[in-house]
Amino acid sequence: MGMDQEEEDRGMASLLAARRALRAGVEKSRALSHALARTGPKLGEIQGRLPAMEAAVRPIRAPRDALEGAGENIDRAVGPAAAVLKVFDAVHGLEPPLLASSAVAEDLAGYLAVLSRLEEALRFLSDNCGLASQWLADIVEYLGDRNLADPRFVSDLAEALSHLKNPSANLDGGLLAAALDILEAEFRRLLAEHSAPLAMKEPNSSDPGSITAPRIPASAVHKLSLILDRLAANGRLGTCTAAYAEARGDTVSASLRALGLDYLHNPAEDAQALTPSVERWGQHLEFAVRHLLEAERKLCFAVFERQPEAASSCFAEIASCAGILDFLKFGRAVCDARKDPIKLLRLLDVFDSLSKLRMDFNRLFGGKACVEIQTQTRELVKRVVDGSVEIFEELLVQVELQRNMPPPADGGVPRIVSFVAKYCNQLLGDPYRSVLTQVLTIHRSWRKETFNDKMLVDAVLNIVKALEANFEAWSKAYKDVTLSYLFMMNTHWHFFKHLKGTKLGEILGDEWLREHEQYKDYYSAVFLRESWGTLAPLLSREGIILFSKGRATARDLVKQRLKSFNANFDEMYQKQSSWIISDRDLQQKTCHLVVQAIVPVYRSFMQNYGPLVDQQDVSANKYVKFTAEGLDKMLSTLFMPKPRRAGSFQIKNSNGKITSAMTGLYRSSSTLK
């Protein structure tokens, strides 16, 4: 009984446990049913995405042997690609120091070092990016050919890789271009900082040391050169050349303008008016070439040290911008001036300046880049030589043509005599003698002929002798022979006085000069004898008897002789009061001789016979018109030079027509410089 009760208790407990388990199972089933009802739509969405997920993981589902073969190829391509990616990361790391614009001015060397790393990285990328992308493309093709990946995936990957195959692609995102822009800006800043025009005065040719050449600190030159090298290495040499030429060309041009170069652009047409401008032109050209442009060339080749061709081209632009062609243009304007003898001197001045700078021109402008300067310089030299020779060879002809021209009406020295004497003396003196010889030698060499200094001297002497031969012809043109004597006295004395002690007088010789002095003395004596010397005999004492019976007769003779003297004196004085003696000393000496020929005779005559007339009525004034002192004063003021107009002669062509081509030939010798 006790055993049965125990068994019954155990069965009841089992039944209760089974009931609890069944109840729990029913509740779980009910909860699961509710959960499935809630997640049904999500399962449908997942079911719809299963094909795509299946395609994405398809390589994993590929055969094991196919995956193992692809893995080896993938590993070979991924290694270089990973290296390229590391370099890309390094490039991005260089952005901050390269894009800081102040860094280049504060530490140029450091900036260039960072830029060098960027260039090295870009070279690596340029050399390897294409190869790595090609290997990756091969793997993509491998996967596609073996159907190991979804075709759309393969297509998208192939397109992305195609952008990396071109080595010239913008691999740095424009970082290098931005850095080069910063360098270029620093290049321009350095140029602007050290390219201020020189504050200078008119250059003094007698003190070249006072002229200061433009200077840029060596440190700045070094920086410019370093920057230029990097920019040139990256294809920006042309930009740098243009910037440098503009900055330095403007500086040189502004420095020269400070000297006052307006005369270069508005030259006079008259050679005489050009004289001061030609003198300044020679000084300014020498200053521009030997100081400014010489220094600029040295500076240019220092900055462009490793680009000599670019340096030559850049310097040519600087020289052109500075106005060297304007100097040559002014030289051509001198060649175009109206032709006259003064123009020959100005042309010789131009040639002398160019000749002194010949070696400098060859050194500075000898390259191909300066071909325009070379061409214009050669053309200018040829025009100067041709123009000089043309005028010089025409001088003799023009002097000979003067022979038929009328002499001065006042008996003075023709201006052509003064001009030619001084002009020829100038041609044979320094510096024109050597320059003219050089010009004539060059011109003759073009015609395969020779020329030397002796030939020049002979040519000048022929001009002087032709002028000398004109004296006789001019003297014969006077209707009044007495005036011709005065003219010959004037002219021979002028020749003697103005050539004695000169280079031309030395060449002509003392004997030649003494002949002219003797001619002066001869014509002076003849002039006095044939003019004023004829008055003294009119006061002859012959027939004048002072005793009482002959007193009336004596009075009449005295009146007649005084009347005759007065009439002849008035006529001669009136006529000769318009004549001149050009030389002051000769004028005073001649007047003294005239006084000595007249006044003592008149004084003696009046002392002896004047009382005969004075005793008469007021009509005596008709006979006694002068006192001895009055005559002395009147005669002492004769032959005074008067202001004369230029152009008392005209130049004639060989055909007899008047021309103004050589009007300077008549100017007074004071116009010569």
PDB file of all heavy atoms in Angstrom, residues 151-166:
ATOM      1  N   PRO A 151      29.756  40.752 -64.550  1.00  0.00           N
ATOM      2  CA  PRO A 151      30.189  41.569 -65.708  1.00  0.00           C
ATOM      3  C   PRO A 151      30.065  43.072 -65.460  1.00  0.00           C
ATOM      4  O   PRO A 151      30.902  43.849 -65.902  1.00  0.00           O
ATOM      5  CB  PRO A 151      29.252  41.105 -66.825  1.00  0.00           C
ATOM      6  CG  PRO A 151      28.855  39.720 -66.426  1.00  0.00           C
ATOM      7  CD  PRO A 151      28.766  39.714 -64.930  1.00  0.00           C
ATOM      8  N   ARG A 152      29.008  43.504 -64.753  1.00  0.00           N
ATOM      9  CA  ARG A 152      28.874  44.938 -64.476  1.00  0.00           C
ATOM     10  C   ARG A 152      29.986  45.433 -63.561  1.00  0.00           C
ATOM     11  O   ARG A 152      30.526  46.521 -63.738  1.00  0.00           O
ATOM     12  CB  ARG A 152      27.511  45.218 -63.845  1.00  0.00           C
ATOM     13  CG  ARG A 152      26.350  45.086 -64.834  1.00  0.00           C
ATOM     14  CD  ARG A 152      25.039  45.346 -64.154  1.00  0.00           C
ATOM     15  NE  ARG A 152      24.779  44.357 -63.109  1.00  0.00           N
ATOM     16  CZ  ARG A 152      23.746  44.401 -62.275  1.00  0.00           C
ATOM     17  NH1 ARG A 152      22.876  45.402 -62.356  1.00  0.00           N
ATOM     18  NH2 ARG A 152      23.579  43.469 -61.341  1.00  0.00           N
ATOM     19  N   PHE A 153      30.317  44.635 -62.614  1.00  0.00           N
ATOM     20  CA  PHE A 153      31.413  44.990 -61.711  1.00  0.00           C
ATOM     21  C   PHE A 153      32.727  45.106 -62.475  1.00  0.00           C
ATOM     22  O   PHE A 153      33.511  46.047 -62.292  1.00  0.00           O
ATOM     23  CB  PHE A 153      31.513  43.928 -60.610  1.00  0.00           C
ATOM     24  CG  PHE A 153      32.724  44.071 -59.740  1.00  0.00           C
ATOM     25  CD1 PHE A 153      32.775  45.032 -58.738  1.00  0.00           C
ATOM     26  CD2 PHE A 153      33.834  43.256 -59.922  1.00  0.00           C
ATOM     27  CE1 PHE A 153      33.884  45.156 -57.942  1.00  0.00           C
ATOM     28  CE2 PHE A 153      34.949  43.385 -59.123  1.00  0.00           C
ATOM     29  CZ  PHE A 153      34.978  44.347 -58.120  1.00  0.00           C
ATOM     30  N   VAL A 154      32.961  44.151 -63.356  1.00  0.00           N
ATOM     31  CA  VAL A 154      34.191  44.159 -64.161  1.00  0.00           C
ATOM     32  C   VAL A 154      34.233  45.394 -65.064  1.00  0.00           C
ATOM     33  O   VAL A 154      35.263  46.046 -65.220  1.00  0.00           O
ATOM     34  CB  VAL A 154      34.300  42.861 -64.980  1.00  0.00           C
ATOM     35  CG1 VAL A 154      35.456  42.944 -65.973  1.00  0.00           C
ATOM     36  CG2 VAL A 154      34.457  41.665 -64.069  1.00  0.00           C
ATOM     37  N   SER A 155      33.085  45.738 -65.658  1.00  0.00           N
ATOM     38  CA  SER A 155      33.031  46.894 -66.563  1.00  0.00           C
ATOM     39  C   SER A 155      33.326  48.209 -65.829  1.00  0.00           C
ATOM     40  O   SER A 155      34.097  49.053 -66.309  1.00  0.00           O
ATOM     41  CB  SER A 155      31.657  46.960 -67.222  1.00  0.00           C
ATOM     42  OG  SER A 155      31.549  48.110 -68.031  1.00  0.00           O
ATOM     43  N   ASP A 156      32.711  48.385 -64.645  1.00  0.00           N
ATOM     44  CA  ASP A 156      32.941  49.608 -63.870  1.00  0.00           C
ATOM     45  C   ASP A 156      34.397  49.733 -63.441  1.00  0.00           C
ATOM     46  O   ASP A 156      34.995  50.820 -63.481  1.00  0.00           O
ATOM     47  CB  ASP A 156      32.036  49.620 -62.639  1.00  0.00           C
ATOM     48  CG  ASP A 156      30.564  49.760 -63.011  1.00  0.00           C
ATOM     49  OD1 ASP A 156      30.299  50.181 -64.163  1.00  0.00           O
ATOM     50  OD2 ASP A 156      29.713  49.442 -62.164  1.00  0.00           O
ATOM     51  N   LEU A 157      34.995  48.622 -63.030  1.00  0.00           N
ATOM     52  CA  LEU A 157      36.390  48.647 -62.595  1.00  0.00           C
ATOM     53  C   LEU A 157      37.332  48.963 -63.758  1.00  0.00           C
ATOM     54  O   LEU A 157      38.303  49.716 -63.617  1.00  0.00           O
ATOM     55  CB  LEU A 157      36.754  47.301 -61.952  1.00  0.00           C
ATOM     56  CG  LEU A 157      38.119  47.214 -61.270  1.00  0.00           C
ATOM     57  CD1 LEU A 157      38.248  48.286 -60.198  1.00  0.00           C
ATOM     58  CD2 LEU A 157      38.347  45.825 -60.681  1.00  0.00           C
ATOM     59  N   ALA A 158      37.026  48.424 -64.937  1.00  0.00           N
ATOM     60  CA  ALA A 158      37.865  48.681 -66.118  1.00  0.00           C
ATOM     61  C   ALA A 158      37.825  50.150 -66.513  1.00  0.00           C
ATOM     62  O   ALA A 158      38.838  50.760 -66.888  1.00  0.00           O
ATOM     63  CB  ALA A 158      37.408  47.800 -67.282  1.00  0.00           C
ATOM     64  N   GLU A 159      36.637  50.747 -66.413  1.00  0.00           N
ATOM     65  CA  GLU A 159      36.517  52.171 -66.755  1.00  0.00           C
ATOM     66  C   GLU A 159      37.308  53.038 -65.784  1.00  0.00           C
ATOM     67  O   GLU A 159      37.974  54.012 -66.191  1.00  0.00           O
ATOM     68  CB  GLU A 159      35.048  52.577 -66.738  1.00  0.00           C
ATOM     69  CG  GLU A 159      34.828  54.035 -67.142  1.00  0.00           C
ATOM     70  CD  GLU A 159      33.363  54.412 -67.133  1.00  0.00           C
ATOM     71  OE1 GLU A 159      32.530  53.530 -66.876  1.00  0.00           O
ATOM     72  OE2 GLU A 159      33.078  55.609 -67.386  1.00  0.00           O
ATOM     73  N   ALA A 160      37.253  52.728 -64.500  1.00  0.00           N
ATOM     74  CA  ALA A 160      38.001  53.499 -63.499  1.00  0.00           C
ATOM     75  C   ALA A 160      39.499  53.395 -63.738  1.00  0.00           C
ATOM     76  O   ALA A 160      40.249  54.372 -63.605  1.00  0.00           O
ATOM     77  CB  ALA A 160      37.643  53.013 -62.096  1.00  0.00           C
ATOM     78  N   LEU A 161      39.966  52.205 -64.110  1.00  0.00           N
ATOM     79  CA  LEU A 161      41.403  52.014 -64.337  1.00  0.00           C
ATOM     80  C   LEU A 161      41.891  52.723 -65.595  1.00  0.00           C
ATOM     81  O   LEU A 161      43.060  53.106 -65.698  1.00  0.00           O
ATOM     82  CB  LEU A 161      41.720  50.515 -64.432  1.00  0.00           C
ATOM     83  CG  LEU A 161      41.595  49.726 -63.121  1.00  0.00           C
ATOM     84  CD1 LEU A 161      41.760  48.226 -63.385  1.00  0.00           C
ATOM     85  CD2 LEU A 161      42.629  50.195 -62.114  1.00  0.00           C
ATOM     86  N   SER A 162      40.991  52.921 -66.563  1.00  0.00           N
ATOM     87  CA  SER A 162      41.411  53.568 -67.823  1.00  0.00           C
ATOM     88  C   SER A 162      41.887  54.992 -67.596  1.00  0.00           C
ATOM     89  O   SER A 162      42.713  55.515 -68.333  1.00  0.00           O
ATOM     90  CB  SER A 162      40.256  53.543 -68.828  1.00  0.00           C
ATOM     91  OG  SER A 162      39.193  54.376 -68.368  1.00  0.00           O
ATOM     92  N   HIS A 163      41.376  55.675 -66.565  1.00  0.00           N
ATOM     93  CA  HIS A 163      41.775  57.056 -66.282  1.00  0.00           C
ATOM     94  C   HIS A 163      43.192  57.141 -65.726  1.00  0.00           C
ATOM     95  O   HIS A 163      43.787  58.218 -65.691  1.00  0.00           O
ATOM     96  CB  HIS A 163      40.801  57.689 -65.280  1.00  0.00           C
ATOM     97  CG  HIS A 163      39.412  57.834 -65.807  1.00  0.00           C
ATOM     98  ND1 HIS A 163      39.078  58.592 -66.909  1.00  0.00           N
ATOM     99  CD2 HIS A 163      38.237  57.260 -65.388  1.00  0.00           C
ATOM    100  CE1 HIS A 163      37.785  58.525 -67.135  1.00  0.00           C
ATOM    101  NE2 HIS A 163      37.251  57.714 -66.227  1.00  0.00           N
ATOM    102  N   LEU A 164      43.744  56.052 -65.264  1.00  0.00           N
ATOM    103  CA  LEU A 164      45.089  56.059 -64.684  1.00  0.00           C
ATOM    104  C   LEU A 164      46.159  55.601 -65.662  1.00  0.00           C
ATOM    105  O   LEU A 164      47.332  55.574 -65.318  1.00  0.00           O
ATOM    106  CB  LEU A 164      45.124  55.150 -63.442  1.00  0.00           C
ATOM    107  CG  LEU A 164      44.165  55.523 -62.312  1.00  0.00           C
ATOM    108  CD1 LEU A 164      44.263  54.497 -61.192  1.00  0.00           C
ATOM    109  CD2 LEU A 164      44.495  56.910 -61.775  1.00  0.00           C
ATOM    110  N   LYS A 165      45.743  55.210 -66.865  1.00  0.00           N
ATOM    111  CA  LYS A 165      46.717  54.686 -67.823  1.00  0.00           C
ATOM    112  C   LYS A 165      47.521  55.783 -68.505  1.00  0.00           C
ATOM    113  O   LYS A 165      48.610  55.549 -69.012  1.00  0.00           O
ATOM    114  CB  LYS A 165      46.003  53.847 -68.887  1.00  0.00           C
ATOM    115  CG  LYS A 165      45.471  52.528 -68.349  1.00  0.00           C
ATOM    116  CD  LYS A 165      44.839  51.705 -69.462  1.00  0.00           C
ATOM    117  CE  LYS A 165      44.328  50.374 -68.930  1.00  0.00           C
ATOM    118  NZ  LYS A 165      43.706  49.549 -69.993  1.00  0.00           N
ATOM    119  N   ASN A 166      46.997  57.053 -68.566  1.00  0.00           N
ATOM    120  CA  ASN A 166      47.684  58.157 -69.258  1.00  0.00           C
ATOM    121  C   ASN A 166      48.660  58.830 -68.298  1.00  0.00           C
ATOM    122  O   ASN A 166      48.256  59.451 -67.329  1.00  0.00           O
ATOM    123  CB  ASN A 166      46.660  59.182 -69.747  1.00  0.00           C
ATOM    124  CG  ASN A 166      47.312  60.282 -70.558  1.00  0.00           C
ATOM    125  OD1 ASN A 166      48.508  60.228 -70.830  1.00  0.00           O
ATOM    126  ND2 ASN A 166      46.524  61.274 -70.928  1.00  0.00           N
TER     127      ASN A 166
END
